[in-house]
Amino acid sequence: MIEFQNKRIMLVCTTDNMIWQFLLPHIQDLLDMGASVDCFCARTGFWFDELKDKFGLNMVDIPFRRSPFRMKNIKAYRLLKKYQEMNHYDLIYCQQPVGGMMGRLIGKKYHIPVIYTAHGFFFFKHNNFIKNLIFKTAEKYLARYTNVLITMSSEDFLAISTWKVKYKYMIHGIGFDVKKYDQTPFDKDTFRQELGISKEDKAIVTVAEFIKRKNYPTMLKSFAKVHAQMPQTKYILCGTGKLFDKMEKLVEKLNLSDAVIFAGYRKDINKILQVSDLMLLLSKQEGLTMSIMEAMHYGLPVVTSDVRGNRDLIDDSFGGKLVDLRDVSGSAGAIIDILRDQNLAIKMGEYNREKVKKYDIDVVRAELKKIYNEVSF
């Protein structure tokens, strides 16, 4: 059993957004057990100041970069060393690939126990062979300096089955907090009109950053095939990112400007999901995707790529369809089959609504507390 009373914890996370979105309840549990927690992460937005001012967390800005090959990560490592030598932390609790790498290097150097939660390894099926070899070798090496290794997908848990880690676990994600998702009644017809969706339209939604990993070109080409057969469809894209302008141009090229809605960054995703008919997400890689869990909670069928994490959430032909991330025609066909069969769509949505309960925040908190009770350093 881990004794947290009066322990100083260095929580290392690549970005402030990860803490703001997912880790607050788990940090609070550590504080309630008597630990003090200092959070080390990169400041990437308003989240850093909100975590500090609104939630009272001890936040330290460390210039992590998501790519482990960026030179700024060397500076980040040196800063972590400095804070360790100043504060003498008793435990390192690290999250995400870069945060996990940095935290475990500090643990190795100063002989500190480490808990690492892997949100999705940088090596995965369908990835470049050389990249997989590099990242898997690095993770396997760092596993030697990991006391507790926690994964969130069956693929990742299988990958670590032979590694030299005393305590290995798989949990149901980082926690889906149902209480955050408001279901207060609202005028759905009016809201759809505000978005540019008529009563006759079927609405497809994607909630994802405009980055290469999310595979937007394939999703837009798939939607083009759907729209050709079902003109009364609209596609809502919620998110921002460096590929936003490129995707706007692709939409114009595909003659979809009247059918694709660029909704941008939204604080009312809950409403958008409630007026949508299906979620589409063809990512090249994922951990456990929160946007899919949100869609499941609101009873949407999901068409998604058959990759790590997604296949843990969506049971093929029960909660939606798993498709090859490169298969434009197959993705379009799956969408059309569901949208044209209202009974099937409802049945899939109900299945998802029930299944997502396994990923509830209270379930995950209980799983983590069970781990804390089982392990010892």
Side-chain angles (χ1 to χ4, degrees):
M1 177 177 178
I2 304 175
E3 179 53 65
F4 286 104
Q5 188 68 38
N6 299 321
K7 290 289 190 298
R8 301 202 67 179
I9 298 177
M10 172 188 277
L11 187 138
V12 186
C13 194
T14 310
T15 64
D16 50 3
N17 183 37
M18 174 60 70
I19 298 174
W20 187 80
Q21 283 196 29
F22 306 121
L23 300 183
L24 276 168
H26 307 301
I27 293 171
Q28 187 58 56
D29 286 343
L30 296 172
L31 295 172
D32 289 345
M33 288 185 284
S36 63
V37 181
D38 292 346
C39 301
F40 295 81
C41 62
R43 180 196 296 265
T44 64
F46 71 88
W47 304 286
F48 192 94
D49 289 331
E50 186 154 320
L51 288 165
K52 185 178 177 181
D53 300 334
K54 182 177 177 180
F55 295 98
L57 296 187
N58 297 325
M59 302 294 297
V60 183
D61 186 5
I62 302 290
F64 291 128
R65 293 296 179 265
R66 289 182 180 180
S67 169
F69 302 115
R70 295 288 296 275
M71 294 302 292
K72 282 200 172 181
N73 285 325
I74 296 175
K75 179 182 177 183
Y77 173 69
R78 289 172 178 163
L79 281 171
L80 285 181
K81 282 174 56 181
K82 173 185 170 184
Y83 279 100
Q84 171 57 32
E85 290 167 1
M86 285 170 49
N87 297 322
H88 305 289
Y89 293 100
D90 304 297
L91 173 67
I92 295 174
Y93 206 143
C94 47
Q95 313 270 335
Q96 300 178 283
V98 170
M101 177 179 69
M102 294 295 179
R104 287 180 290 173
L105 288 173
I106 294 296
K108 174 180 179 291
K109 181 173 179 60
Y110 295 97
H111 307 289
I112 308 166
V114 176
I115 300 174
Y116 171 43
T117 303
H119 292 252
F121 292 126
F122 275 161
F123 62 89
F124 51 91
K125 290 179 182 178
H126 309 300
N127 193 23
N128 176 279
F129 173 79
I130 298 299
K131 287 183 178 179
N132 271 354
L133 180 63
I134 292 170
F135 290 129
K136 190 169 186 177
T137 301
E139 286 285 354
K140 195 171 181 180
Y141 169 75
L142 290 169
R144 301 177 187 178
Y145 308 101
T146 309
N147 298 78
V148 183
L149 179 49
I150 301 170
T151 65
M152 299 184 188
S153 71
S154 53
E155 183 178 316
D156 283 350
F157 189 66
L158 180 63
I160 68 169
S161 59
T162 60
W163 292 6
K164 294 181 179 179
V165 183
K166 185 176 181 180
Y167 298 107
K168 293 175 281 212
Y169 295 94
M170 186 175 94
I171 61 175
H172 286 89
I174 201 64
F176 178 72
D177 190 354
V178 172
K179 296 182 288 295
K180 285 172 60 177
Y181 296 93
D182 184 18
Q183 295 206 32
T184 303
F186 64 99
D187 189 329
K188 293 182 181 179
D189 289 338
T190 299
F191 187 71
R192 281 170 67 94
Q193 287 174 10
E194 291 171 358
L195 289 171
I197 304 169
S198 71
K199 287 184 179 180
E200 296 76 24
D201 288 330
K202 294 287 188 180
I204 302 165
V205 63
T206 292
V207 181
E209 192 177 358
F210 282 82
I211 55 177
K212 187 176 180 180
R213 179 166 64 87
K214 297 300 181 179
N215 201 19
Y216 266 105
T218 303
M219 291 192 286
L220 287 168
K221 290 171 186 175
S222 299
F223 175 68
K225 286 185 175 291
V226 173
H227 192 257
Q229 294 191 48
M230 299 180 67
Q232 290 294 113
T233 52
K234 293 288 176 69
Y235 188 15
I236 311 166
L237 308 182
C238 301
T240 60
K242 60 184 180 182
L243 296 182
F244 186 92
D245 293 342
K246 272 190 176 181
M247 293 307 102
E248 277 192 317
K249 290 176 182 176
L250 179 58
V251 166
E252 291 175 10
K253 184 179 177 180
L254 294 170
N255 296 315
L256 293 172
S257 296
D258 292 336
V260 174
I261 299 163
F262 287 93
Y265 175 79
R266 305 287 297 214
K267 292 187 176 181
D268 57 357
I269 295 295
N270 62 312
K271 289 185 177 179
I272 291 176
L273 291 173
Q274 288 179 77
V275 300
S276 298
D277 298 284
L278 179 144
M279 169 166 275
L280 174 64
L281 187 67
L282 302 180
S283 312
K284 296 179 180 180
Q285 68 169 109
E286 288 293 349
L288 273 182
T289 316
M290 190 60 67
S291 64
I292 289 182
M293 286 191 266
E294 291 170 340
M296 293 170 73
H297 172 65
Y298 286 113
L300 293 186
V302 179
V303 173
T304 190
S305 47
D306 186 7
V307 299
R308 174 193 63 199
N310 293 353
R311 71 172 71 97
D312 288 88
L313 292 171
I314 299 302
D315 293 330
D316 191 37
S317 299
F318 291 92
K321 288 297 293 182
L322 295 174
V323 297
D324 188 304
L325 62 90
R326 298 154 294 195
D327 188 355
V328 170
S329 296
S331 302
I335 294 167
I336 291 168
D337 288 346
I338 296 170
L339 291 183
R340 282 182 172 167
D341 189 338
Q342 183 67 15
N343 290 332
L344 176 64
I346 291 171
K347 188 176 179 181
M348 287 177 165
E350 290 174 347
Y351 182 92
N352 285 337
R353 199 192 303 271
E354 186 62 30
K355 181 174 178 179
V356 80
K357 292 177 182 178
K358 294 197 303 186
Y359 298 88
D360 184 78
I361 183 66
D362 291 333
V363 172
V364 175
R365 289 169 95 165
E367 289 175 334
L368 286 172
K369 287 180 180 179
K370 184 174 183 289
I371 291 171
Y372 301 153
N373 286 328
E374 288 180 0
V375 307
S376 60
F377 304 135

